[in-house]
Amino acid sequence: MVTVNNSDYYNNIPAGRDLNNLPNTSSADTTVGYQYDGLTEEDRFVQKVLQEHYDKVYKENLSHSDPMAYIESKYCDVTSPNFCSYMTEDQRSIAYRNEKRMLQTGGKYSAGFARYDYALRNYKDVYTGGSRSVGYVRNTDREKQYARSVVNQQISNLLSKNGISISKQADLVFSIDPYTYQLTVSGNADRDTLSQIETLLNEGDNAKNIWTHAWICMHDADNEIVNSQANMTKTNQYSLWHEVYETTGYDARNATYKNGTFIAEDGTDLLALFKEKSKNGAGYELYSKRWLQYAKNGWKKENDLVLKIGFDSSGLYDIGQERGYGATQNMWMKGISQSIFEASV
């Protein structure tokens, strides 16, 4: 066990973190994963205020003949009488993204923790001012880096326990299916080593937890995707599949479109079943409309949110983004550098 001496790094990590605390949903035999912070009462309050605000604004935007043009006039066109000059640039930016995203998703609001949002200005206990540099965000860069060091050490421990050593020349890639969370390993190690690593990382929910960690690290402080592997089309397809599967127990990819609905291989009308079992009407409306789009275009494999993350002797490293959290990628975080051996687990 190695003691970390980077006090500046650890002084900025949320207190009370249990380094052995796996995600709450992890199954038995899981040894790899990181439980990000749960919601505090303040988080829930902020989320509630912003949810109510953007729900109201969404309806207002829809009242205009061209909602997107109206949104752009508020936040992008300085010559427009609608321009929100009283907001800071950061506040206009996040409002624009949130309102645009809601328009694209039929009213679904998915952000909700930026405490510099102008909508929070009257709540002095949580409002941090108009700059994103001081606005509270969840899953901060420092926590992502901390999570990376924990996951690295967990993988290192797992491999070491099973007699697997990673050479300095090794360069592997973990590819994880977004539906089954099955992980495959490729790279310059011998076939037996690749197979052993693959078997170990597919135990329990190890692969799912690595996928989740990689996914979180692909977003910036405003929850925007910053990795070339992902986009909103892939994200929507991923969320649709899981929503349908968790609601009905059926794999949407195997359904056949017929007479305005989707028929499972056993003859079940999945759209009817989805409506019957959906927890709320709004969710059904959003996902059923999205699902029906596939009746025209089909389920495109190239839009599956398969995530790839690299792995070498220093641990995991990100693929497809400018700012990564790997040991040799994180110098942008002002000297915070954590190798695979620098976190005690």
Side-chain angles (χ1 to χ4, degrees):
M1 184 175 293
V2 179
T3 302
V4 179
N5 294 317
N6 192 336
S7 59
D8 176 66
Y9 177 78
Y10 273 85
N11 284 339
N12 288 282
I13 297 302
R17 175 75 71 235
D18 179 359
L19 299 186
N20 289 311
N21 189 19
L22 295 167
N24 297 329
T25 57
S26 296
S27 63
D29 300 325
T30 302
T31 54
V32 177
Y34 177 82
Q35 177 64 53
Y36 286 85
D37 269 338
L39 293 180
T40 65
E41 287 305 311
E42 279 194 352
D43 292 335
R44 293 188 180 92
F45 175 76
V46 168
Q47 193 175 45
K48 179 177 181 293
V49 171
L50 293 180
Q51 177 76 60
E52 291 174 350
H53 167 76
Y54 283 106
D55 282 346
K56 181 179 179 180
V57 173
Y58 171 67
K59 293 176 182 177
E60 179 191 342
N61 290 338
L62 289 181
S63 70
H64 293 264
S65 58
D66 189 338
M68 192 63 234
Y70 177 62
I71 292 172
E72 290 176 346
S73 74
K74 291 191 291 181
Y75 305 119
C76 306
D77 184 1
V78 295
T79 66
S80 170
N82 300 320
F83 186 68
C84 299
S85 58
Y86 49 86
M87 292 185 182
T88 66
E89 183 177 350
D90 285 342
Q91 289 174 330
R92 286 192 295 271
S93 177
I94 194 169
Y96 173 76
R97 286 197 294 271
N98 285 339
E99 292 179 32
K100 179 181 177 182
R101 184 184 292 119
M102 289 188 74
L103 200 61
Q104 293 171 332
T105 60
K108 184 178 181 181
Y109 177 63
S110 60
F113 297 102
R115 298 195 183 191
Y116 62 91
D117 195 302
Y118 186 75
L120 295 170
R121 65 194 181 282
N122 294 325
Y123 301 94
K124 304 302 182 185
D125 290 341
V126 295
Y127 182 57
T128 57
S131 173
R132 63 175 288 184
S133 64
V134 295
Y136 174 88
V137 290
R138 296 184 57 73
N139 302 337
T140 62
D141 289 331
R142 287 182 179 274
E143 186 170 17
K144 292 172 190 173
Q145 176 62 21
Y146 180 68
R148 177 63 54 87
S149 69
V150 171
V151 172
N152 279 344
Q153 189 65 55
Q154 290 168 333
I155 294 175
S156 176
N157 290 349
L158 181 62
L159 298 184
S160 178
K161 179 181 177 181
N162 287 274
I164 301 173
S165 60
I166 301 297
S167 70
K168 290 185 177 181
Q169 291 74 37
D171 189 12
L172 312 181
V173 174
F174 300 160
S175 300
I176 309 171
D177 184 274
Y179 310 121
T180 63
Y181 296 115
Q182 184 73 19
L183 182 149
T184 57
V185 184
S186 60
N188 60 0
D190 62 83
R191 186 180 298 274
D192 286 343
T193 299
L194 295 178
S195 178
Q196 290 177 58
I197 294 174
E198 198 169 284
T199 297
L200 292 171
L201 293 183
N202 279 307
E203 290 179 346
D205 282 323
N206 289 342
K208 178 181 179 181
N209 292 342
I210 294 172
W211 188 98
T212 301
H213 170 65
W215 176 239
I216 289 173
C217 289
M218 290 181 178
H219 293 73
D220 67 10
D222 287 326
N223 203 32
E224 292 293 312
I225 296 170
V226 292
N227 190 294
S228 60
Q229 296 185 60
N231 54 46
M232 285 308 298
T233 299
K234 291 183 177 182
T235 302
N236 288 342
Q237 184 161 292
Y238 166 82
S239 61
L240 170 63
W241 187 92
H242 282 277
E243 186 73 18
V244 172
Y245 183 76
E246 290 166 14
T247 302
T248 69
Y250 284 87
D251 188 332
R253 295 172 295 176
N254 298 330
T256 301
Y257 180 71
K258 185 177 181 180
N259 298 328
T261 189
F262 292 92
I263 306 300
E265 293 175 320
D266 63 4
T268 300
D269 184 330
L270 292 188
L271 208 54
L273 181 63
F274 185 52
K275 183 176 183 179
E276 176 188 337
K277 293 193 172 185
S278 288
K279 295 179 181 178
N280 60 75
Y284 168 75
E285 290 297 326
L286 170 65
Y287 287 105
S288 61
K289 287 179 181 178
R290 189 178 294 173
W291 198 2
L292 286 168
Q293 292 175 356
Y294 292 95
K296 300 177 182 178
N297 305 317
W299 195 278
K300 295 188 176 180
K301 189 174 179 61
E302 62 266 29
N303 288 331
D304 289 341
L305 195 57
V306 176
L307 298 188
K308 295 184 178 183
I309 189 166
F311 184 78
D312 58 22
S313 60
S314 67
L316 296 170
Y317 64 87
D318 300 287
I319 297 172
Q321 64 194 61
E322 183 178 348
R323 291 184 168 186
Y325 299 89
T328 61
Q329 296 178 309
N330 58 21
M331 299 310 293
W332 58 275
M333 295 183 69
K334 297 183 179 179
I336 298 173
S337 182
Q338 293 273 290
S339 78
I340 194 170
F341 303 108
E342 291 184 295
S344 300
V345 179

